[in-house]
Amino acid sequence: MIENDISAWSPDDTLRILIASDIHLGFMENDPVRGEDSFIAFEEVLSLAVQCDVDLILLGGDLFDQAKPSVNCMFKCTEIIRKYCLGDKPVSIELLSDQIKNFSRTVNYEDPNLNISYPILSIHGNHDDPVGQGSVSSLDILSITGLVNYFGKWTDYTHVRISPVLLQKGLTRLALYGLSHLKDQRLSRLFAEKKVEMERPDETLDWFNLFVLHQNHADRGHSNYIPEGVLPTFRSVVWGHEHDSHICPMKGNKTEKDSFFVVQPGSTVATSLAAGEALPKHCGLLEIHKGNFKLTPLPLQTVRPFIFKTIVLSEENIGSDDVNENEKVQEFLKNRVNEAIDEASKLKTADLRQPLLPLIRLSIFYERESQNFNRIRFGQNFNGLVANPNDLLIMKKEKKIREKRECDPEEEGDMTGVAAEAADVESLLRAYYEAQPKDKRLSVLSVRVITDAVRDFTLKHNEDVLRRAFDAHKRRCIAALLESTAETEKEIAEQLEVCKRELDEADDEKLHTLVDASARPSAPAAQLIVPVVKLPNTVGKRTIVVLSSDEEELSTRSGRGRTTRASRGKSPRGKSTRATKASAPAPSPPERRTPRRSAAQKSTSCFRIS
């Protein structure tokens, strides 16, 4: 229930939470124009938390744009958090649940070595999920330094059991459930198999159940999103990952008895030039009083203005078709860009931190190739006027795809529109391979293996994943051919198609099992053996020593009467050649023993609900 009149609410019993999501710190940080946008928006979010005097800040994932943020990005993030979240203001919320179970460590505002005024609670998203050795996330680094309380992290992907963070302020009790990003196909399967469990607190008490997750909300295909109907009953759900902001509570599609309200904060910075990113950006103030709540949208004032327009040239009065059609189209679009710039100027606020140059994107549908032109050259006309002159326009050929395929099914599809509408790298790659004619489609490599490897390479910066994926796939195909009775070229192609189909149709868990089973174990490094071969040489009665190995080419040495080092004879000058002795290893320095410093401890009593 949303309570509109909050005058009767006692401040001591009202829990105030600032909600934001998809900050994407470090997005385009090397761009001279847009590099500071994500940091400016994040600073405004935290400043709003101070102005609203909230009890805590709740982030719905993707605090960072990359799984391995740069040193500069981590420095600026730490600087902003310390500026706004540290201080002497007392925290008036009490944590009742097991801190180690929720956060793997003590919550930061109870740490005696830190002065936290506005605690941040965050899950991770698909951009800043754990990677590398030890599965460490960038949020783990902020957590160990005491700047962020990181919860909702999972290591067992076969069974998810969520234990809520139990908070209390006066008479208001909050059970906060967090589910960091899991691959949508995997999470959908876990929900279908009833392997996602939610622990319930003491039901004799009145708890406000709040769930925060980071998954696909919009329907992007079977098992590629999380339907609201599979979620348990909550009072409200904070949905991260989707960038279009719908900060007003939306009624869930469950039954009236089990329905809940969905809050979709959206991103604070435009990371793609799509129509959804052009919506106004918000964060929200959630106020909870016992069983009632109120959500207040907080428009962001420092977001770069963004205008998105769709133009169909066949519906515009450009003029008759003649030899100057290309020039007329460009002149027409220049006027439209100028109109968009004027429209963007109306979105400027009084905040001096707001970037000045706007983002403009025109999606153009054209009929004939004579209407197409060089977009990069066109954008140079607006240098200094827009923030994105190199990608002002996206050109899509206006045609009916179904009729085009019927007329010429073997013609390669136009991927321009697909690339603009793709939600992620995996969707773009799948759409690309599906659009190829049959003779150009992959016949050996699995599309699933490639898309998963490219995703890990782009999002997690795992530089070795592509080589390992291709090597494992190659070894699997070779093993299948050796085990089969295929002899002719047609039989070999059919066997390779069977291997490819098995990987493409496998679910995530089975796919990783098949690929990992084909991975070759790393062999121990072989010792280099250098044989010494003596070859007699009748010229000058000298002995020539040849050193050969797998690493060096076979070589011979010749000189003016001098023998090689390995020769036992003497040189013409009467000096014997001595063999070089292997130098003894340097002694290791003595181990330095210093007493360990005991960490500061604080005895706290917590009330555990079983």
Side-chain angles (χ1 to χ4, degrees):
M1 174 182 179
I2 301 179
E3 184 71 41
N4 293 322
D5 184 14
I6 63 174
S7 59
W9 292 5
S10 170
D12 296 334
D13 298 329
T14 303
L15 186 61
R16 298 165 61 86
I17 305 174
L18 186 86
I19 297 176
S21 181
D22 295 88
I23 308 293
H24 286 276
L25 291 177
F27 174 73
M28 294 187 69
E29 60 179 328
N30 295 324
D31 188 277
V33 178
R34 304 168 61 184
E36 296 293 324
D37 288 8
S38 62
F39 302 104
I40 294 175
F42 183 50
E43 185 170 3
E44 183 184 3
V45 169
L46 296 189
S47 65
L48 287 173
V50 176
Q51 295 174 22
C52 296
D53 193 23
V54 299
D55 296 301
L56 63 92
I57 302 166
L58 180 61
L59 302 182
D62 279 354
L63 174 61
F64 294 96
D65 187 62
Q66 297 180 1
K68 297 180 180 179
S70 66
V71 176
N72 176 65
C73 180
M74 290 295 294
F75 172 78
K76 290 183 177 179
C77 174
T78 304
E79 183 182 33
I80 294 173
I81 293 177
R82 288 179 59 88
K83 178 179 179 181
Y84 290 95
C85 296
L86 271 63
D88 297 328
K89 171 184 171 293
V91 178
S92 56
I93 54 176
E94 180 183 2
L95 181 62
L96 306 179
S97 55
D98 189 347
Q99 304 183 27
I100 303 301
K101 190 175 183 180
N102 293 142
F103 306 107
S104 301
R105 54 184 54 86
T106 304
V107 69
N108 62 353
Y109 62 84
E110 292 189 2
D111 191 328
N113 299 315
L114 297 172
N115 286 334
I116 303 296
S117 295
Y118 301 95
I120 298 176
L121 278 68
S122 178
I123 62 174
H124 73 247
N126 59 310
H127 280 257
D128 52 6
D129 55 341
V131 294
Q133 184 177 4
S135 295
V136 177
S137 167
S138 51
L139 290 178
D140 281 309
I141 299 176
L142 295 180
S143 176
I144 199 66
T145 57
L147 298 178
V148 169
N149 299 295
Y150 177 26
F151 72 111
K153 178 181 179 180
W154 310 110
T155 55
D156 184 6
Y157 297 121
T158 61
H159 189 276
V160 174
R161 186 180 180 89
I162 303 178
S163 178
V165 179
L166 303 180
L167 302 170
Q168 181 173 355
K169 181 181 180 183
L171 299 178
T172 299
R173 299 179 182 89
L174 171 67
L176 176 61
Y177 295 81
L179 179 61
S180 292
H181 175 77
L182 294 174
K183 209 173 176 185
D184 291 284
Q185 295 88 343
R186 174 177 294 160
L187 186 58
S188 296
R189 186 180 71 254
L190 292 178
F191 273 116
E193 297 175 355
K194 308 297 182 182
K195 292 183 178 179
V196 179
E197 299 180 7
M198 308 280 184
E199 295 182 6
R200 293 293 186 182
D202 186 359
E203 296 183 355
T204 60
L205 302 175
D206 186 17
W207 293 94
F208 186 94
N209 298 320
L210 177 64
F211 184 37
V212 55
L213 75 164
H214 190 98
Q215 305 291 154
N216 282 339
H217 191 197
D219 188 350
R220 293 186 172 91
H222 178 66
S223 298
N224 202 23
Y225 79 109
I226 305 301
E228 296 175 359
V230 303
L231 299 181
T233 302
F234 295 98
R235 299 299 301 274
S236 183
V237 174
V238 177
W239 211 299
H241 184 61
E242 301 290 352
H243 282 206
D244 44 331
S245 178
H246 298 286
I247 200 64
C248 295
M250 301 177 292
K251 196 82 171 185
N253 59 5
K254 299 170 72 72
T255 63
E256 186 67 26
K257 178 181 178 181
D258 299 330
S259 65
F260 50 77
F261 289 93
V262 178
V263 180
Q264 187 172 300
S267 65
T268 60
V269 63
T271 59
S272 64
L273 301 180
E277 296 276 17
L279 297 176
K281 302 292 185 182
H282 297 83
C283 58
L285 175 62
L286 177 63
E287 298 174 276
I288 303 173
H289 182 264
K290 299 180 181 179
N292 299 323
F293 75 95
K294 179 183 179 181
L295 181 65
T296 304
L298 302 177
L300 297 179
Q301 304 296 316
T302 62
V303 177
R304 186 182 295 275
F306 179 25
I307 300 297
F308 183 93
K309 297 288 185 181
T310 300
I311 299 176
V312 181
L313 293 180
S314 61
E315 299 177 358
E316 303 292 340
N317 185 15
I318 301 177
S320 59
D321 301 341
D322 53 23
V323 293
N324 296 324
E325 183 180 22
N326 191 284
E327 296 180 3
K328 289 183 178 180
V329 169
Q330 293 193 48
E331 191 64 29
F332 170 78
L333 294 179
K334 287 179 182 178
N335 294 332
R336 286 302 185 95
V337 172
N338 288 323
E339 292 175 2
I341 294 176
D342 294 338
E343 184 179 349
S345 63
K346 301 177 182 178
L347 300 178
K348 293 182 179 179
T349 64
D351 198 309
L352 299 178
R353 297 172 297 177
Q354 185 184 28
L356 298 178
L357 299 181
L359 291 170
I360 305 295
R361 168 56 72 93
L362 301 185
S363 179
I364 312 300
F365 288 87
Y366 64 95
E367 289 183 290
R368 297 172 293 277
E369 288 298 329
S370 59
Q371 297 176 336
N372 198 1
F373 52 87
N374 190 315
R375 276 88 76 184
I376 302 296
R377 186 179 302 171
F378 176 87
Q380 300 308 309
N381 297 304
F382 299 94
N383 273 329
L385 298 177
V386 298
N388 59 318
N390 292 331
D391 50 5
L392 263 174
L393 309 179
I394 178 171
M395 308 290 289
K396 309 174 187 178
K397 194 164 185 179
E398 182 185 355
K399 60 182 179 181
K400 296 181 180 179
I401 303 298
R402 184 176 302 174
E403 294 179 359
K404 185 67 177 179
R405 288 179 178 175
E406 292 176 355
C407 297
D408 192 359
E410 297 299 324
E411 183 177 348
E412 184 175 353
D414 185 9
M415 292 299 299
T416 308
V418 176
E421 298 172 0
D424 47 35
V425 178
E426 303 98 293
S427 302
L428 176 61
L429 286 177
R430 283 194 295 267
Y432 171 77
Y433 288 120
E434 291 174 359
Q436 298 301 313
K438 292 183 179 181
D439 59 339
K440 293 184 179 181
R441 293 180 183 178
L442 295 178
S443 58
V444 178
L445 289 176
S446 167
V447 176
R448 289 284 306 283
V449 173
I450 293 177
T451 53
D452 287 359
V454 172
R455 182 196 68 242
D456 291 344
F457 177 78
T458 54
L459 297 182
K460 303 181 181 180
H461 291 260
N462 190 345
E463 299 178 355
D464 196 43
V465 66
L466 292 172
R467 181 187 59 80
R468 288 191 289 104
F470 285 128
D471 287 349
H473 191 58
K474 179 181 68 175
R475 287 191 293 272
R476 175 175 172 77
C477 292
I478 293 175
L481 290 176
L482 293 177
E483 294 176 358
S484 68
T485 59
E487 295 182 358
T488 64
E489 183 176 346
K490 182 179 180 180
E491 292 175 346
I492 293 175
E494 292 176 353
Q495 184 62 38
L496 293 176
E497 180 64 26
V498 171
C499 293
K500 174 180 178 295
R501 191 184 310 114
E502 184 178 0
L503 293 176
D504 285 338
E505 296 176 356
D507 55 24
D508 294 332
E509 186 176 353
K510 185 178 179 181
L511 178 65
H512 289 294
T513 302
L514 294 175
V515 173
D516 292 342
S518 303
R520 178 186 301 170
S522 57
Q527 296 182 354
L528 180 63
I529 301 177
V530 183
V532 179
V533 182
K534 297 183 179 180
L535 299 177
N537 192 343
T538 57
V539 181
K541 297 182 179 181
R542 297 175 295 169
T543 301
I544 300 177
V545 181
V546 180
L547 302 180
S548 64
S549 67
D550 294 336
E551 308 256 341
E552 302 177 359
E553 296 182 357
L554 189 65
S555 61
T556 60
R557 295 186 58 185
S558 62
R560 299 181 179 179
R562 299 187 182 185
T563 59
T564 60
R565 281 184 153 182
S567 175
R568 296 183 179 180
K570 295 183 179 181
S571 63
R573 297 183 182 181
K575 297 181 180 180
S576 61
T577 306
R578 300 178 180 179
T580 305
K581 297 182 179 180
S583 59
S588 59
E591 182 180 1
R592 182 177 179 179
R593 302 181 181 274
T594 57
R596 294 184 176 178
R597 298 176 59 186
S598 60
Q601 298 180 352
K602 179 182 178 181
S603 60
T604 57
S605 60
C606 67
F607 176 71
R608 179 180 296 183
I609 295 180
S610 58

